[in-house]
Amino acid sequence: MVSRTKGFYARDYSLWLGWNNMRYIIEAAVLHGRILNRTTIIPTYVYARACEFDVSVCAAYATMVNRGDATGSNEWRQLPIEQQMAWRIPVSLMFNLTHLRERHAVITVSDYLRLHNISVDVETTNGQWDTDLYHRGVDIFSDSPVEPSLYAIKNEWYDAGNVVRVDQLPHSMRERGGWNITHEQVGSAITEETPLSLALHDAMTSGTSVLDWETTLRVVGDDNEVESSSGGGIARILAENGWEVLYTYGGACGSGATKDVTVPIRQAVPRSLLRGLYEDFGFIEQDVLLLNGEVHLFRKPGALRFTTIESRERYTQTVLYDFRLTDNVVELADQLFNRMVEKAGGRMWMAAHMRRGDFARLNWVMEQSFEAHLARVKSHLRDGRDILHSVHRGPLLAYKVPFGQADRSPLLLEPPAVHDKFYIATDERDPTNLAYLRDQGAILITDLLTIDDRRNFGWPLMLTDVLSLVEQATLARAAYFYAHAHSSVAGGVVNLRASYGADPRTALLDT
């Protein structure tokens, strides 16, 4: 697998983040590796943040560490000592790595170290690439030193200032030799100062480098010269005036925090601001190409935009179909789906994600009061019941994703009744609040799981991060789903729903 690629693509991974953040960071890394024809290196392990039982129980199966000590973060220092603990688990527990490797060149850090006869014990605990120890290899046949060469992409090179990072420069720029612009020249290159170009610049919001498509259409349509031009389409018109069309994602409910790939959008950008990942770094010959630092914050899925629809759709396929949950997660979620149908009297059932935990501690929750939060959830589920009655009558819709086909199960089950039970996924652990949920008609994961489920699944189910995967897969099968738009957990559920063929009207991410 490695020999079919140019070399390795490595990242500094922020292992102190939760799994859903790590998931879309890894998704972006795999995209970059494919663009650059390099084998992507991902962390060997991640950290599960909590144990469903006493910490010593999980520590009997997975290595327990202090999160702050392992990752170099002080975020958890003020918490009770047992809440500072985490469990180091193989990344292959979190998604189907075997399936991913059938479509992408991907190895773990420990794989890379073994390939170079370096002890796997030197893998850093915070996910940062060690530019010293990771490059002190030994040839297994001759015992002579082997030092993989390294080229590091400085973090500020990635999309410094108002640069717009794309997968590859558009054809119009390749014809003009636009890739010859140096890092120092980015932003100083002058776009053709036509009347339309100046009008588009004037329409841009201060502090942004791209123009939304609705505004682009309005400005182009208001230009008399453009109105009198013949044929060619808006992409040609933009190109003639020094601008290019980009393809990316709008995010569920317009939120970038979800990192979902279910809302395809277009944007316009001045040609002078574009920087192609392929043009900038595809020529590097060193064995390891390393991206320093983190690039996931305030960026689109994939940490870049695309210059063709085909490239964006290929990434959508990667996220929805190549990154699969493990078989045991899918199988257990299927059983939980059927049990919820039984609890709902054989009808469709609805679900919501109530994120509390660190969100409550950081004042990021929808409602600070637990009772008010649940009341908000139930209000939207009532609206969801009305939507399901409408959906049940057809016709069904599907997300605008590759291979998207509507799931027909809404036609096979009756819509929910007024007093039906509903499913709640939550990280709330206060016994009083959990009892309140059940009194209000909620079903929790622990109400559905059996001893046989735990035995068949195995010890990882004791870890909340793994249990959360099962909950996400279960939420994806709900007839209606409601959650907070600023949660990457919700974004993962929406991606799963799109891959399963859920009707987009049956999910609401609320701000």
Side-chain angles (χ1 to χ4, degrees), residues 255-399:
S255 170
T258 58
K259 291 292 194 293
D260 66 279
V261 296
T262 63
V263 185
I265 63 169
R266 286 177 288 181
Q267 296 175 326
V269 63
R271 183 180 297 127
S272 61
L273 300 184
L274 293 182
R275 297 297 296 182
L277 185 71
Y278 176 79
E279 284 78 13
D280 278 1
F281 307 111
F283 67 91
I284 302 299
E285 297 297 330
Q286 278 83 346
D287 299 318
V288 177
L289 178 62
L290 167 67
L291 176 58
N292 283 140
E294 191 49 78
V295 295
H296 83 281
L297 289 174
F298 312 115
R299 292 173 177 87
K300 293 292 188 179
L304 48 73
R305 291 171 171 85
F306 303 90
T307 54
T308 65
I309 293 177
E310 293 77 16
S311 295
R312 181 188 60 194
E313 290 202 340
R314 179 66 187 90
Y315 183 60
T316 304
Q317 292 176 46
T318 296
V319 173
L320 298 187
Y321 310 118
D322 298 348
F323 274 86
R324 284 185 181 176
L325 296 169
T326 56
D327 291 345
N328 58 350
V329 168
V330 175
E331 291 166 3
L332 181 52
D334 286 345
Q335 294 180 54
L336 299 182
F337 166 80
N338 291 327
R339 291 171 195 168
M340 274 304 303
V341 171
E342 292 178 7
K343 289 186 177 293
R347 292 177 289 275
M348 301 180 197
W349 54 274
M350 300 184 293
H353 176 232
M354 282 184 67
R355 183 162 183 180
R356 302 296 295 179
D358 55 347
F359 263 38
R361 177 166 55 87
L362 298 170
N363 293 320
W364 290 350
V365 289
M366 291 178 170
E367 304 286 350
Q368 195 62 44
S369 158
F370 189 82
E371 292 77 10
H373 194 165
L374 181 58
R376 181 170 180 162
V377 168
K378 293 182 70 174
S379 173
H380 284 288
L381 291 184
R382 284 193 293 271
D383 295 338
R385 186 171 61 248
D386 295 336
I387 291 172
L388 291 176
H389 276 271
S390 174
V391 169
H392 182 64
R393 294 190 293 269
L396 298 175
L397 305 178
Y399 284 91

